[in-house]
Amino acid sequence: MTAGLLPPLLLWPTGLPEVSLLYALTLALLVAFWLGRVAREARRGRVPRVGWWFVPGLLTLLLARVGDLPALFGIGAGLLLLAEYWPGAYGRPRRRPRLAWPLSGLLLALGLLTSSLLAGQANLPTVLATLLSLLAGLAGLLAAALSPAPARREKAQGFALRWQQPQLPEWPEFSVTLTGQGARLTNTSPQPLKVVGWSPRSVNAWLPPRNEEGRLLDLLGSGQSAFLPLSERETGVRVWYVTPQKPEQTRLFRADWVPSTPQTATPAHLLN
């Protein structure tokens, strides 16, 4: 089937006898609405997922008019509704979208348009391929250009803080509760605290904090706890940590206690 060239975004008469100017403008308004939605979601850090079904839905609506097939119109309308109202239509990507493939789609659309202009005509598959490349390229370009830049991560704070001169708070920001297999370190301050390392009193160690399941912990919110495995003869712990307000200033928490003996069934512990 031979047809005239379909201009970008259907803003002018298509040259397809079956497609009226009013129908083309209606499709163009749908395209503008969808691209606006893609731009809004991109500013929120989300990209199309099921939302990509808008592109085949729009092409199906065009085919329904060209081929005079009402069933295709229903399918196309269903795809548009799916792309707009599906709960997972847009989602956060694992990494920021890149410009490579959207630019490739736009270049492909430009090449198809150029070849059609030189030939003076375009068949229906060329028109559909041009629209597909153009819409996908524009949407991908908006998603990549408008997505917020990833937040800068703070520099890793680890073993180097062990050798800085620590600050001893006037009032302890942790509490220690002895258990049968170690100690439970609890954040008693009203703010989150970043525990960078700890050590039993009897050795010069540098151990990462973990929970009772053995998973590494980085930040302890107010009221949250970490598990410190200790032997029964241990007499204390040392904990190095920083606050969100002063991540460069190391703080030290110390807790000492008297181990359990036959005369003292319950170990007494002294904070700081």
Side-chain angles (χ1 to χ4, degrees):
M1 177 179 180
T2 302
L5 177 65
L6 183 62
L9 297 182
L10 304 175
L11 293 179
W12 295 285
T14 63
L16 296 174
E18 303 85 353
V19 179
S20 64
L21 177 60
L22 181 60
Y23 193 78
L25 290 176
T26 302
L27 296 183
L29 290 176
L30 291 175
V31 170
F33 176 83
W34 180 65
L35 291 178
R37 172 75 186 277
V38 172
R40 290 194 304 271
E41 296 294 340
R43 293 189 182 95
R44 300 172 184 172
R46 300 195 294 181
V47 297
R49 288 182 177 173
V50 179
W52 283 116
W53 284 103
F54 174 89
V55 178
L58 186 81
L59 298 183
T60 304
L61 290 180
L62 182 61
L63 284 174
R65 188 68 174 180
V66 172
D68 193 18
L69 298 172
L72 287 182
F73 184 86
I75 295 175
L79 291 176
L80 295 188
L81 293 175
L82 186 68
E84 177 64 22
Y85 295 108
W86 187 262
Y90 296 83
R92 298 188 181 278
R94 294 183 178 179
R95 58 184 180 182
R96 189 180 184 185
R98 299 181 179 180
L99 293 172
W101 74 261
L103 292 178
S104 300
L106 292 177
L107 289 176
L108 177 60
L110 180 61
L112 292 173
L113 285 173
T114 303
S115 63
S116 299
L117 287 173
L118 293 177
Q121 61 181 5
N123 54 30
L124 183 59
T126 302
V127 171
L128 296 179
T130 302
L131 273 178
L132 176 64
S133 303
L134 185 63
L135 293 178
L138 285 175
L141 186 63
L142 289 174
L146 299 179
S147 293
R152 293 183 178 180
R153 297 182 179 180
E154 297 180 359
K155 294 183 179 179
Q157 298 172 330
F159 190 62
L161 295 177
R162 170 68 174 81
W163 308 108
Q164 294 183 4
Q165 182 65 31
Q167 177 184 359
L168 296 175
E170 296 181 1
W171 190 258
E173 296 176 294
F174 290 100
S175 67
V176 170
T177 303
L178 299 180
T179 65
Q181 299 178 344
R184 182 178 295 107
L185 180 73
T186 304
N187 179 7
T188 57
S189 71
Q191 62 180 343
L193 300 174
K194 180 181 177 65
V195 180
V196 293
W198 71 278
S199 173
R201 178 186 177 185
S202 60
V203 296
N204 186 15
W206 182 260
L207 304 173
R210 299 176 183 268
N211 60 12
E212 295 185 357
E213 288 76 24
R215 290 182 297 179
L216 290 174
L217 293 177
D218 185 16
L219 194 67
L220 283 183
S222 180
Q224 289 186 337
S225 302
F227 177 70
L228 310 180
L230 298 168
S231 66
E232 296 180 356
R233 298 182 179 180
E234 189 55 60
T235 60
V237 293
R238 303 291 183 263
V239 179
W240 290 266
Y241 66 100
V242 296
T243 62
Q245 291 77 14
K246 294 183 178 181
E248 72 284 351
Q249 176 61 56
T250 309
R251 295 192 176 193
L252 176 63
F253 169 77
R254 298 185 299 185
D256 302 306
W257 57 84
V258 178
S260 176
T261 62
Q263 291 76 19
T264 59
T266 303
H269 60 276
L270 175 65
L271 299 180
N272 276 16

